[in-house]
Amino acid sequence: MLLTPYRYAAQALLANVSASRKPFLRRSLRPDALLTTDLPRLVSPQALETLESTMDGHGWTVRLQAGLWELTPVLTPPAPLGPVPPGADRPALRRLYSLLSRHPAPGDSIAPVLAFLKAEEAGPQPLERLCQALCRQCAVCLRAHQRLPGELLPYVHFALAEEGKP
C-alpha cells in the first residue's frame, strides 16, 4: 500500500500528544488532503499549536476544516520495482500506465496523486474506477494538447509491479 508509510508517519507524530481519547486517522474526503483526524477536538489549543509546528517541521501541511485537521505530507514517489509484469487483472490501471509512459510530462498538481493513494488503499475496485476516470481525463488532455498528470507515473508503475508479486 502506497499510503501506509504516510499513515504510520502521521500516527507517530499524533501519538506524541496526550488526548482525551485516541484520535481517528482516516483517508480524507477532500481532494486536496491525504488524511484527516479529529485531534483538534481532543487536545488543548496549546498542545495543538505545538503539534502543528512539529508536523510542519516534518513536511506536513495542516489545515483546520470543520473541527478536523486535514493533513497532506510532502509526497515522495516510490522507487521503481523493475519491469511491469504482463497481465490484465486491472485493465484501467494498465491503460493509465500506458498513457502516462507514452506521454511523460510531470505536472505540478498533487491532487491526482492524493486521489490515487486513497483509491489504492481503498482496494482494487475503487482504484480501477479512478483509473478509468483518469484515462478519460488524459484523453481530454491529449485532444486539447495539454499535459497529462505525469506525476502519477511512478505510483502507477509501483501499483502494477506490486500486482505481479505473489
Side-chain angles (χ1 to χ4, degrees):
M1 296 284 159
L2 290 165
L3 192 140
T4 302
Y6 299 114
R7 185 180 297 279
Y8 285 155
Q11 285 173 338
L13 290 168
L14 296 177
N16 294 330
V17 175
S18 65
S20 58
R21 65 169 169 77
K22 184 176 178 179
F24 69 69
L25 184 64
R26 301 178 182 150
R27 289 186 303 267
S28 177
L29 298 176
R30 297 179 54 84
D32 58 348
L34 187 61
L35 299 167
T36 189
T37 182
D38 65 342
L39 186 71
R41 298 175 181 170
L42 307 173
V43 299
S44 69
Q46 296 82 10
L48 203 60
E49 187 176 315
T50 302
L51 181 59
E52 185 173 2
S53 66
T54 301
M55 292 194 78
D56 186 49
H58 283 88
W60 288 82
T61 301
V62 178
R63 279 194 311 277
L64 185 63
Q65 296 280 332
L68 302 173
W69 262 4
E70 299 292 338
L71 308 171
T72 307
V74 172
L75 296 172
T76 306
L81 293 178
V84 173
D89 293 344
R90 299 196 273 180
L93 182 64
R94 291 187 177 280
R95 241 184 339 271
L96 182 61
Y97 176 75
S98 176
L99 280 167
L100 295 176
S101 61
R102 283 185 283 141
H103 303 280
D108 55 0
S109 174
I110 65 165
V113 175
L114 295 175
F116 189 87
L117 292 174
K118 291 185 267 189
E120 192 255 349
E121 186 185 62
Q125 290 83 13
L127 183 59
E128 274 295 292
R129 282 193 299 274
L130 175 69
C131 289
Q132 289 170 352
L134 288 169
C135 286
R136 288 190 296 272
Q137 179 186 347
C138 286
V140 170
C141 289
L142 286 172
R143 284 192 294 272
H145 303 287
Q146 296 173 342
R147 288 181 171 204
L148 301 186
E151 61 277 2
L152 274 173
L153 185 58
Y155 299 93
V156 174
H157 183 219
F158 184 89
L160 279 174
E162 282 290 307
E163 176 183 291
K165 287 188 176 180

